[in-house]
Amino acid sequence: VEYVIDYKNLDVRSLEDVQLRAEFPQGFQLVSSNPNTSEGDNVWYMGTLEANQGGKVRIQGKLSGSPDDGKTFKLSLGKMGDDGNFVVYNQRVVNTRMVVAALSIKQSLVNGAENGITKAGANLSYRINYENNSNIGMRNAIVTVEIDSKIVDYSKLSIDRGSFDESKKTISWKASDVPELINIQPKGKGELKFTVPVLEIIPVTGVQDKNFTVRTVAKIDSPDIPSVASENKIIGSSAMELKLGSKVIIETLGYYEDANVENSGPMPLEVGKETTYTMHWTIFNVSNELQDAVLTASIPSGYRWTGKTYPENEHVEFDSRTNIISWRVGGVNPGVGLLEPKREVSFQIGITPQSNQSGRSLTLLNPGTFKAKDGFTKEEINLQIPMKDMQLHEDVSIPPDGYKVK
């Protein structure tokens, strides 16, 4: 089931520290909400609402019960009082009656997402399964799927039969496309398919371009579905929402001539003489806020950590027992490297080649890892960072023979 909650401040004054609280009935399980909950699974912090300011909260969940059961949802808008009690500004009660739909429909994904999370470039393969739950045939059924997303490539949408209306972003299957829909027999079932890829390059042009989703709503209808005069006709429907995990790019660069940290020593490197390099780590983050980000890698034994870092306010640590360098990045805004400057830190290491390393290209940094939590999808990000050797083509000051020890 899905509930869309519209709220608005109708007062001429602004309201501060506003919260929306939901009391769910027995048998309800929250699957997702947009925006995400702020506390538990039923509290949303709205902050300050100016006069006439409002918004929407979309709640998706699973509701179980017996036919004809009544389910009551209570929604309250208000704030916490000074005494610690919740002060209600407005309250609404929504009643839902459990029924068995004559035609049911369900959508699922066979690939392209995991645990409700998809990635840039993923190919989303949907399966739409429908069933006639009644004891009479259902004639001339029509199945539709509405796709609502800014991050899918509609030009590469592939449909197993059916048609696509791009202006409405809706796929339709009729009996002319699928003969089985002419008459779905009692307890009869069927399956429809379509695939659509997520864009390789996510369109981020402003601060509003974040927390992207792919939302699909499948419906099935037939003129034979019974309806009661005083009630809405019951049409089978199924909603699904995927969240886009943020794309994070980590670069490791190295320089002998660096703009911020001065290096010294022979170039090319010579046995028995120390040469210093300045290593750079840069972070690009596309669409979601990152939390508790940490980047680590080690330097080979025998190298020297000089202690020079830039900028000095970044939290860079070195463990002399393990030779591990840790950059405690913390939070990373969406759009870093696109809408605002990339996050970057640099640090200096010293290398004194030994005689058995003459003529070799040495490793400067061993393979590393980047870990963070995606603030939108709540998934743990764990990226492997390749090793970095002396082939520093990004530094044009290094001569061709400077990629090996002399």
Side-chain angles (χ1 to χ4, degrees):
V1 293
E2 181 177 69
Y3 296 89
V4 179
I5 304 162
D6 290 284
Y7 61 90
K8 188 174 184 179
N9 177 15
L10 300 177
D11 203 327
V12 295
R13 301 165 299 175
S14 63
L15 301 175
E16 298 181 348
D17 303 322
V18 178
Q19 297 182 15
L20 174 68
R21 292 179 170 245
E23 294 180 31
F24 299 129
Q26 184 177 3
F28 180 82
Q29 178 185 354
L30 181 69
V31 174
S32 66
S33 69
N34 190 9
N36 291 325
T37 57
S38 306
E39 180 183 323
D41 63 358
N42 68 329
V43 179
W44 293 261
Y45 295 160
M46 306 303 181
T48 299
L49 290 182
E50 302 295 340
N52 293 315
Q53 183 184 359
K56 292 179 184 290
V57 175
R58 191 185 300 271
I59 299 173
Q60 289 185 343
K62 297 179 180 179
L63 186 59
S64 59
S66 302
D68 293 324
D69 277 357
K71 302 289 185 177
T72 301
F73 290 74
K74 184 183 290 185
L75 303 164
S76 302
L77 198 68
K79 67 174 294 185
M80 294 300 297
D82 295 336
D83 58 358
N85 293 317
F86 187 67
V87 179
V88 177
Y89 295 147
N90 202 343
Q91 194 172 78
R92 288 289 185 271
V93 173
V94 178
N95 294 308
T96 301
R97 184 167 63 91
M98 303 294 294
V99 297
V100 177
L103 281 174
S104 63
I105 192 167
K106 182 176 73 171
Q107 55 179 320
S108 58
L109 273 170
V110 295
N111 65 14
E114 187 174 347
N115 298 322
I117 301 170
T118 188
K119 303 292 184 183
N123 195 41
L124 303 175
S125 296
Y126 288 84
R127 297 292 183 267
I128 309 299
N129 295 93
Y130 60 87
E131 181 176 1
N132 180 359
N133 300 305
S134 73
N135 55 8
I136 62 171
M138 293 288 170
R139 297 170 301 145
N140 301 326
I142 297 176
V143 177
T144 61
V145 175
E146 181 182 352
I147 307 172
D148 181 11
S149 181
K150 297 179 179 179
I151 60 167
V152 298
D153 189 346
Y154 292 102
S155 69
K156 296 181 180 178
L157 174 69
S158 176
I159 309 168
D160 177 24
R161 301 172 287 181
S163 63
F164 178 61
D165 184 336
E166 190 157 2
S167 65
K168 296 180 180 179
K169 301 295 188 288
T170 300
I171 304 170
S172 299
W173 290 270
K174 295 184 178 182
S176 58
D177 310 305
V178 185
E180 296 87 351
L181 296 177
I182 293 176
N183 189 358
I184 307 175
Q185 295 298 315
K187 310 306 177 185
K189 303 177 181 179
E191 183 177 82
L192 304 168
K193 306 174 184 178
F194 73 93
T195 61
V196 63
V198 180
L199 293 168
E200 289 277 1
I201 300 176
I202 304 303
V204 176
T205 59
V207 294
Q208 76 281 356
D209 294 325
K210 60 180 181 179
N211 299 350
F212 292 101
T213 60
V214 181
R215 184 171 181 272
T216 51
V217 178
K219 296 180 181 179
I220 186 168
D221 186 21
S222 164
D224 293 329
I225 294 179
S227 62
V228 181
S230 61
E231 297 182 4
N232 291 329
K233 187 175 182 178
I234 300 166
I235 298 174
S237 66
S238 170
M240 178 186 292
E241 184 173 88
L242 304 176
K243 295 182 177 181
L244 178 71
S246 194
K247 185 173 184 178
V248 182
I249 300 172
I250 308 297
E251 284 187 344
T252 303
L253 303 172
Y255 296 91
Y256 178 70
E257 280 197 7
D258 187 81
N260 299 309
V261 180
E262 185 178 355
N263 292 299
S264 61
M267 179 59 64
L269 278 68
E270 296 181 12
V271 172
K273 298 179 180 179
E274 183 182 71
T275 296
T276 61
Y277 289 95
T278 302
M279 309 305 297
H280 290 240
W281 278 331
T282 61
I283 300 174
F284 299 81
N285 178 39
V286 177
S287 59
N288 304 339
E289 177 191 4
L290 304 182
Q291 302 169 351
D292 304 323
V294 179
L295 201 161
T296 61
S298 65
I299 55 177
S301 297
Y303 290 18
R304 186 171 70 92
W305 171 260
T306 70
K308 293 182 179 180
T309 62
Y310 183 88
E312 294 181 355
N313 60 345
E314 289 287 355
H315 301 287
V316 182
E317 303 168 354
F318 177 71
D319 186 331
S320 60
R321 294 189 64 86
T322 62
N323 278 3
I324 292 177
I325 304 164
S326 301
W327 178 21
R328 303 196 177 280
V329 186
V332 182
N333 292 332
V336 160
L338 301 171
L339 304 176
E340 58 182 86
K342 60 190 176 184
R343 287 289 298 272
E344 183 172 9
V345 72
S346 56
F347 51 89
Q348 188 183 65
I349 59 173
I351 303 173
T352 304
Q354 304 303 303
S355 59
N356 64 338
Q357 295 173 319
S358 178
R360 292 170 52 189
S361 178
L362 306 181
T363 296
L364 301 181
L365 282 177
N366 292 320
T369 60
F370 174 82
K371 296 182 179 181
K373 183 176 182 179
D374 189 314
F376 179 51
T377 66
K378 306 304 181 185
E379 71 172 334
E380 298 295 332
I381 298 172
N382 194 335
L383 303 179
Q384 301 302 307
I385 304 169
M387 57 85 74
K388 187 71 174 177
D389 61 19
M390 293 172 59
Q391 308 294 312
L392 303 180
H393 300 287
E394 57 268 28
D395 187 346
V396 296
S397 72
I398 298 178
D401 60 350
Y403 300 142
K404 294 182 179 179
V405 178
K406 188 175 179 180

